[in-house]
Structures are given as C-alpha cells and as structure tokens.
Amino acid sequence: MQGYLLKGAPRGEVFNAIRVVHGGGSLLQPVVASKLLRQMSAPPEVEETELLTPREREVLEVIATGASDREIAQHLSLSVHTVKSHVRNILAKLHAANRRAAVRRARRRGLM
C-alpha cells in the first residue's frame, strides 16, 4: 500500500495522491497519519499471555505436533470448520504467514 485517503477526500486531494503514488511516493492524510501514530504508540490493550484464547492455545499445541485440521478436530472433539477458524485466528493474532511460523512466534513469546 502506497497511500490512504478517507472516503470523503476532496477531488483535488485524490488527484494529487494519484500523482504522488504514481511517481513512486507515498501519501497519508494528516488525520490518518495521526491516528496511525496514536495507535502505534499506545500500550498494547491485551496482555501477551491473553493474546490467544485457551482453546486457541490448545489448537496451537496440537498444530505444533504437525497434525492436520482433521486430526486436530478429532483430538479436541471439534469440527474441522471450527479448527480452521481457530487456525485462521491464531495466524492473524500472531501475524504469522503459516503454521510453522505461528508455532515459532508463540514459543518465542512464551505463549506455549
């Protein structure tokens, strides 16, 4: 992403943003930039240990064994659909691209 404008941005700002981004630059409206900076500097709202729900931790422990979604579902008495949902949430919360990365990150953070 090279830039971000709010939906109600004036036409002139939109054209200017297109020129800037097309020229290789990046652009954030001041209101967007200040909100982003506030969020980045704010303390985390969730304790690191509370990042994952207890069930997500259970799923992650079984993921670490190399089990498939079906095997995880059988082991934890869940549906495959529910397991996939937990896996998706785990990957998002840990900002991991795949299961192996999620396990590595969780171990580094002391979550498992």
Side-chain angles (χ1 to χ4, degrees):
M1 180 170 75
Q2 299 298 317
Y4 189 89
L5 295 175
L6 295 176
K7 186 168 35 173
R11 185 178 184 165
E13 284 187 40
V14 173
F15 288 138
N16 181 54
I18 292 169
R19 282 190 287 277
V20 169
V21 171
H22 181 70
S26 55
L27 182 115
L28 285 177
Q29 287 178 305
V31 67
V32 175
S34 64
K35 185 173 182 176
L36 180 63
L37 289 172
R38 273 195 313 274
Q39 286 182 342
M40 290 177 62
S41 63
E45 294 178 15
V46 176
E47 285 287 322
E48 190 75 9
T49 56
E50 297 173 3
L51 181 65
L52 299 177
T53 66
R55 181 58 98 180
E56 288 167 345
R57 286 172 179 262
E58 286 179 313
V59 170
L60 188 59
E61 290 287 342
V62 183
I63 287 172
T65 67
S68 68
D69 288 345
R70 177 171 282 146
E71 293 166 334
I72 295 168
Q74 289 173 345
H75 182 75
L76 297 176
S77 300
L78 299 171
S79 72
V80 174
H81 177 74
T82 300
V83 169
K84 288 181 180 189
S85 178
H86 285 310
V87 171
R88 189 171 41 254
N89 291 338
I90 291 165
L91 295 178
K93 288 180 178 182
L94 295 176
H95 305 287
N98 57 52
R99 293 167 184 238
R100 292 177 78 182
V103 170
R104 277 194 311 270
R105 288 178 184 208
R107 284 185 174 146
R108 261 195 316 242
R109 292 170 140 179
L111 298 175
M112 54 182 306

